[in-house]
Amino acid sequence: LNGEWIDIINSGTLPVPLGGWWLRDSSNLGYQAHGYDIPAGVSVEPGSRVRVHIGSGTNDATNLYLNRSRPLYANPSGAPKWLGDGAFLFDPQGDLLAYQM
């Protein structure tokens, strides 16, 4: 599961505090309105990244873990209604700031 991750990259020149930001997938994780809430105190430094792993581990300054027991993001299956998945990053006000599909 830790082979599936989301990188939040800061290409700017100032640190970006991520506490209160949240990630979700296309299906809204099925049970949580905000998906994964990024913990307070997490920041991404200029020219760096924070990696959010789907599996288990111990959070540190550059790695966060959702602690899920199954993969989160669906691969396309070829059927018209299964066209794949996406990751969406929102700020604390609910503004969509980045996505990858």
Side-chain angles (χ1 to χ4, degrees), residues 28-81:
N28 211 20
L29 293 176
Y31 63 94
Q32 295 176 340
H34 284 179
Y36 174 71
D37 293 314
I38 298 174
V42 173
S43 182
V44 61
E45 297 299 317
S48 190
R49 64 142 176 92
V50 170
R51 180 165 285 175
V52 182
H53 302 268
I54 304 309
S56 298
T58 302
N59 291 348
D60 62 32
T62 59
N63 293 282
L64 302 172
Y65 296 85
L66 273 63
N67 296 312
R68 291 185 48 92
S69 59
R70 298 183 343 219
L72 178 60
Y73 294 98
N75 291 321
S77 68
K81 72 179 206 172

